[in-house]
Amino acid sequence: MMSRDDMIGNLSDGICRVEFTKVSDGTMRVMYCTLNGSLIPADKFPDNETRAQNESVIRCFDVEKQEFRSFRVDSVSTFNVGVGK
């Protein structure tokens, strides 16, 4: 599987399809997400909040829900780069 740094790099470039197991209930979830600032609406950018860096989690923008969501790197089963949505 791809490293956390590679995932973040790809998310910064565009939209990726991430399939992962949800921690809350163990179900599979597919999320189309990005970290590319030009693809995130200006009003959705988080305030200058300081969060503790958790190396096992990636926080990104879900382009379908139009909200920031996160997933655990070790729960990812599929990570597809450069998908359109």
Side-chain angles (χ1 to χ4, degrees), residues 6 8 10 13-14 16 19-20 25 28 34 43-44 53 56 61-62 67 69-70 73-74 78 80-81 84-85:
D6 288 340
I8 290 173
N10 286 307
D13 289 339
C16 297
E19 186 173 345
F20 61 97
D25 61 8
M28 291 300 288
T34 188
D43 64 329
K44 298 294 182 173
Q53 182 72 18
S56 61
F61 187 74
D62 182 325
E67 295 292 337
R69 298 286 190 258
S70 59
V73 173
D74 62 1
T78 308
N80 300 108
V81 177
K85 196 68 181 155

Side-chain angles (χ1 to χ4, degrees), residues 12-59:
S12 296
D13 289 339
I15 298 172
C16 297
R17 180 186 181 275
V18 182
E19 186 173 345
F20 61 97
T21 304
K22 289 174 55 176
V23 173
S24 61
D25 61 8
T27 59
M28 291 300 288
R29 164 137 154 62
V30 173
M31 178 167 57
Y32 291 88
C33 49
T34 188
L35 288 172
N36 184 317
S38 67
L39 300 173
I40 301 171
D43 64 329
K44 298 294 182 173
F45 276 98
D47 296 329
N48 290 331
E49 58 190 36
T50 21
R51 290 178 174 248
Q53 182 72 18
N54 184 340
E55 292 298 316
S56 61
V57 173
I58 295 177
R59 185 169 183 252

